[in-house]
Amino acid sequence: MAHPRISVVTPSYNQAPFLEKTIQSVLTQKTPEIEYFVIDGGSTDGSIDIIRKYESEIDHWVSEKDRGQADGINKGFSLAGGEIFGWINSDDFYLKGAFEKVLAYFDAHPEVDLVYGDVLSVNQEGELINVMRFADYALRDLMAFRIISQPAVFFRRKAWYGAGGMDLRYHFLLDHHLWLRIAAGGKIAYLPEPLAAARFYPEAKNRAHAADFGVEAYRIADWLLTDPEMKPYSKGYRRVIRGGADWLNANYLSNGNHPWKSLKNYAKAFTKYPSRVIEDRRRVGVTLLMAISPEKATDVFRREAQKRMDAFSAYRDLL
C-alpha cells in the first residue's frame, strides 16, 4: 500500500447491529491511500466476529476495556501515519466518495486545518429522516455552540497533535471541545457536500443522554471563559457563550423529550443571546406544543417529517 494519506479510526462498543455498515463504508472508499483502525472497548455482543470478518483489510484492531470513546480515539490515532485524520463511530457511516472529496479539498486549500461537510440523519434501519446542513463557521461561532456534525469532520495530523488530542474528561461534547482547540490554533472550513450519515434512535447517546450534553456545554463555557489560552478569544463574548450553552441545553432537552426543562433553558438563552433563540423559533414552538399537547406535537412532527422527506428525496440515492 502507498503511504497512507488518510487515517480513520472507529471507536466501538457493543454496537454489532450497525458495525458492519460502518466498516464497509470505510473499506469501500475509492482512494487506496487509507489506513483503518478499529478500537473496540471489549464488546460482548458479537462485534468481535464482525471485526474478524474484515481483519485482513483493517490495519489494526483491538478489543479491550478502555476509558471510553475518547480513549479509543486517542489509541487509534496514536498508531496513525496519515496526513489527514477522521473518525467514524460504530453506528454512523461514510457516504460514497467522501474521502476523495475531502482529500481534494485539502489539496486545494493547504491553509485549512479542519474541514467539515453536511450529514444525512438516518434511523435504525438506515432510512433518511433529515439532512443536517451547515455554514461557514469560525472560532466564535463554535464558541457560541454552533455545532458541526462529527462524522463529516476531517483534520490535518498537525492539527490533532497541536490541539493535544481528545480530552478524556468529556464524554458527550468531546468532539466540540476538540474543534474549539483546533479552531483556536488554525483555520476551519465548510465543504457544502454530504459526506456521512449519522444514526438517530432512542438508545443513541444524543437521545438517551440528552441532559448530559447540557452539563458538558456549561463546562466548556466555563473553560472558554477561564482557560488562559482561550480567554483572549472569549473576551467580550461572555453573554453569547453562556447563552449558546443555554440554547444547546434546551435543544438537546427538547430532542430528549423534556419539554418543560427545555423551555426553561430557551428562556435563559433568550436573556443572553436572543437572536439564537429567535432563529430557532420553530423548534421552540414545537417544544411548547410538546409540553401542552403531546398528541398535537406528534402530529406536527409527522407532517414536518413528510415535508422534509419530499424536500430531501434526492439525497436517498446517496445512502
Side-chain angles (χ1 to χ4, degrees):
M1 186 183 75
H3 182 73
R5 291 197 62 207
I6 185 165
S7 300
V8 178
V9 172
T10 290
S12 179
Y13 182 68
N14 282 344
Q15 289 190 316
F18 312 122
L19 178 59
E20 187 163 22
K21 176 69 173 178
T22 304
I23 292 174
Q24 289 175 343
S25 79
V26 176
L27 298 179
T28 56
Q29 296 289 321
K30 289 184 179 179
T31 175
E33 300 165 305
I34 303 171
E35 62 177 6
Y36 185 33
F37 307 97
V38 178
I39 310 298
D40 184 83
S43 292
T44 58
D45 66 341
S47 293
I48 306 309
D49 293 332
I50 295 170
I51 297 169
R52 286 197 173 113
K53 180 178 176 180
Y54 295 94
E55 65 182 346
S56 64
E57 300 175 79
I58 295 170
D59 291 271
H60 177 81
W61 71 274
V62 66
S63 181
E64 61 187 15
K65 186 178 176 67
D66 58 28
R67 297 167 62 189
Q69 182 185 6
D71 190 26
I73 296 165
N74 282 346
K75 282 183 184 180
F77 286 135
S78 73
L79 304 171
E83 303 166 18
I84 307 300
F85 286 3
W87 85 82
I88 189 78
N89 296 325
S90 51
D91 53 354
D92 302 329
F93 56 93
Y94 290 119
L95 303 179
K96 294 176 183 177
F99 292 6
E100 288 181 302
K101 294 173 184 176
V102 167
L103 291 174
Y105 189 91
F106 276 116
D107 285 344
H109 300 86
E111 76 284 2
V112 170
D113 296 288
L114 178 152
V115 65
Y116 59 96
D118 295 331
V119 173
L120 307 185
S121 302
V122 300
N123 61 18
Q124 283 173 288
E125 289 73 37
E127 299 167 335
L128 183 67
I129 57 175
N130 199 7
V131 177
M132 292 185 282
R133 294 193 185 99
F134 301 97
D136 287 304
Y137 297 152
L139 173 60
R140 281 212 158 183
D141 296 300
L142 301 186
M143 291 169 67
F145 292 91
R146 297 276 182 182
I147 298 296
I148 57 179
S149 187
Q150 175 273 316
V153 178
F154 297 83
F155 41 89
R156 295 189 188 275
R157 177 189 189 88
K158 66 176 184 178
W160 166 262
Y161 282 105
M166 305 301 296
D167 188 328
L168 301 189
R169 293 172 296 179
Y170 289 88
H171 301 283
F172 302 97
L173 289 176
L174 67 169
D175 50 354
H176 193 66
H177 189 243
L178 176 64
W179 313 152
L180 283 161
R181 286 178 282 136
I182 290 177
K187 179 176 175 57
I188 68 174
Y190 172 51
L191 173 59
E193 297 259 10
L195 300 176
R199 292 190 197 268
F200 289 81
Y201 53 99
E203 296 78 22
K205 189 164 64 172
N206 49 26
R207 295 282 181 86
H209 297 277
D212 294 307
F213 283 84
V215 172
E216 290 201 348
Y218 292 126
R219 284 178 56 199
I220 288 175
D222 289 340
W223 165 74
L224 286 169
L225 294 166
T226 60
D227 182 85
E229 293 185 8
M230 299 305 296
K231 282 175 71 174
Y233 303 107
S234 63
K235 186 177 180 180
Y237 212 51
R238 174 180 293 272
R239 290 184 65 81
V240 168
I241 290 171
R242 295 290 189 196
D246 289 329
W247 171 86
L248 184 138
N249 191 22
N251 187 267
Y252 272 99
L253 287 169
S254 177
N255 287 332
N257 200 28
H258 303 287
W260 288 115
K261 290 181 180 179
S262 173
L263 291 167
K264 179 180 178 181
N265 281 278
Y266 275 128
K268 288 169 62 178
F270 188 80
T271 66
K272 302 165 191 156
Y273 190 10
S275 62
R276 188 70 179 95
V277 179
I278 293 169
E279 180 183 335
D280 203 24
R281 58 190 177 276
R282 287 179 65 85
R283 182 72 200 188
V284 177
V286 172
T287 305
L288 179 59
L289 192 59
M290 288 167 58
I292 297 171
S293 176
E295 296 82 7
K296 288 184 179 179
T298 299
D299 289 340
V300 170
F301 276 126
R302 189 178 298 114
R303 291 197 299 271
E304 291 293 323
Q306 186 57 54
K307 289 179 184 178
R308 287 198 303 269
M309 290 307 94
D310 294 341
F312 298 151
S313 58
Y315 287 96
R316 290 195 183 99
D317 295 337
L318 298 175
L319 295 170

